[in-house]
């Protein structure tokens, strides 16, 4: 499972081994996209790495959700 966030400058890939964590991050992305004040964001952690993705970055990106490995995106 993975979520790809394509910005003008880069492509960020969030990878998940856990269905529950995947759903949590997907929900946070949805909340950030619907946030009128642009104060929400997503904090993704994997291993020793942490990444904060603000609402405005998400709103200006193309987001693809891949539920299964090597599959076409569910949403794009």
């Amino acid at each position: 499972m993975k979520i790809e966030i394509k910005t003008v400058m880069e492509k960020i890939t969030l990878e998940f081994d856990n269905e529950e964590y995947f759903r949590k991050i997907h929900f946070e992305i949805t909340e950030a996209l619907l946030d009128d004040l642009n104060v929400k964001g997503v904090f993704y952690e994997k291993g020793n790495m942490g990444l904060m993705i603000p609402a405005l970055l998400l709103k200006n990106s193309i987001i693809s959700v891949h539920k299964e490995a090597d599959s076409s995106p569910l949403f794009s």
Side-chain angles (χ1 to χ4, degrees), residues 10-24:
E10 65 182 320
K11 178 177 149 184
I12 302 166
T13 302
L14 310 178
E15 295 185 9
F16 305 90
D17 299 325
N18 181 317
E19 174 90 21
E20 185 177 325
Y21 190 51
F22 172 80
R23 289 181 184 275
K24 177 187 177 293

Side-chain angles (χ1 to χ4, degrees), residues 25-73:
I25 296 296
H26 186 272
F27 179 76
E28 288 179 9
I29 290 172
T30 303
E31 278 191 323
L33 291 172
L34 297 174
D35 179 23
D36 291 336
L37 300 176
N38 297 317
V39 295
K40 294 191 178 185
V42 175
F43 186 72
Y44 169 78
E45 289 182 275
K46 184 156 187 172
N48 296 339
M49 183 192 81
L51 177 65
M52 180 63 188
I53 308 168
L56 282 175
L57 179 70
L58 292 167
K59 289 180 180 183
N60 290 298
S61 302
I62 297 172
I63 302 171
S64 301
V65 178
H66 301 266
K67 187 77 167 140
E68 297 177 15
D70 299 324
S71 67
S72 61

